[in-house]
Amino acid sequence: RQVLHRARAILHRMARDTRERILDTALTQFATRGVEAVAVTDLEDGAGLKAGSGSFYRHFRSKEDVLAAVVYREVERAEQRRQARPAGDLAEEYAQALAALDALRPLVAMLVRDGARLPHLDRVRAVLAEGGVQLDAGRLQERMDAGEVPARDAVAVAAVVQMALVGHHLAERFFGGLGVDRDRFVAALADLVGR
């Protein structure tokens, strides 16, 4: 019995590892080539499976299912990173937020390329946009209550900060920056919020 139990555990772990490899290759390929341009055989090949063997279908029913799983996984990872982000001074927090956006680069590329087609779009918006504003507004409100930053509409300020961070991130990605490096940018943004 123990041998059978261990064998099942090994097979389960191998299936989970294969599933993760498929998700990893799907994320990379969807982000760089677009969902339509990626075939199931590309996903099999990228995950180390024999292309055309149908191995993909042991883990996912369709390319749409793997797309949904990729989006869901990346949103969950973003939420976990955001919740684990330690509070620091404003400039540190904004630098951490830009680093978190870097980690989201493949998902952002998918949103830019295939936006309306992506599954879980409501969850993406709720977690990445609204959730980030609410969390950051809560942190700002604590600073306002402590007299560290001027009292004002914390939610509106958090939304402005989030859009500034996303804008800087996108400018780096698409235009090579705006002539202001990250350190100067986060310092200026923290200074503006702190006034």
Side-chain angles (χ1 to χ4, degrees):
R1 244 183 214 191
Q2 287 179 329
V3 171
L4 183 60
H5 180 70
R6 275 186 271 166
R8 283 184 182 151
I10 289 169
L11 288 174
H12 179 71
R13 186 173 58 251
M14 288 171 58
R16 188 179 64 238
D17 292 348
T18 301
R19 183 179 168 86
E20 286 300 311
R21 286 196 320 269
I22 293 169
L23 290 172
D24 291 341
T25 198
L27 175 64
T28 301
Q29 291 193 31
F30 292 161
T32 57
R33 297 172 52 204
V35 175
E36 285 300 319
V38 177
V40 168
T41 54
D42 296 325
L43 299 175
E44 287 174 324
D45 187 48
L49 304 171
K50 184 176 178 188
S53 68
S55 299
F56 170 88
Y57 296 105
R58 290 186 195 118
H59 304 280
F60 296 97
R61 289 183 303 208
S62 67
K63 187 169 73 169
E64 299 305 319
D65 282 353
V66 78
L67 174 62
V70 163
V71 172
Y72 186 81
R73 182 185 74 168
E74 294 309 301
V75 169
E76 288 297 308
R77 286 178 171 178
E79 189 170 33
Q80 290 168 0
R81 281 190 298 270
R82 179 181 285 139
Q83 295 298 328
R85 201 169 68 205
D89 67 23
L90 288 173
E92 281 176 42
E93 284 192 25
Y94 300 155
Q96 290 172 8
L98 283 173
L101 284 169
D102 289 341
L104 280 171
R105 186 165 283 172
L107 181 59
V108 170
M110 288 171 57
L111 287 166
V112 169
R113 183 185 300 267
D114 294 304
R117 176 187 180 168
L118 295 183
H120 306 301
L121 205 50
D122 287 344
R123 178 140 173 77
V124 170
R125 186 189 71 248
V127 171
L128 299 184
E130 296 164 6
V133 168
Q134 293 304 316
L135 178 67
D136 292 344
R139 290 179 175 181
L140 269 174
Q141 189 63 56
E142 289 172 7
R143 285 188 160 97
M144 289 175 191
D145 293 344
E148 297 172 23
V149 297
R152 48 184 102 119
D153 183 342
V155 174
V157 172
V160 168
V161 166
Q162 185 170 13
M163 289 301 97
L165 292 167
V166 168
H168 189 275
H169 174 77
L170 292 175
E172 284 181 330
R173 169 102 166 88
F174 293 109
F175 309 124
L178 297 173
V180 176
D181 67 27
R182 283 185 173 200
D183 291 338
R184 288 176 54 211
F185 175 79
V186 297
L189 187 58
D191 185 53
L192 289 170
V193 171
R195 287 185 189 186

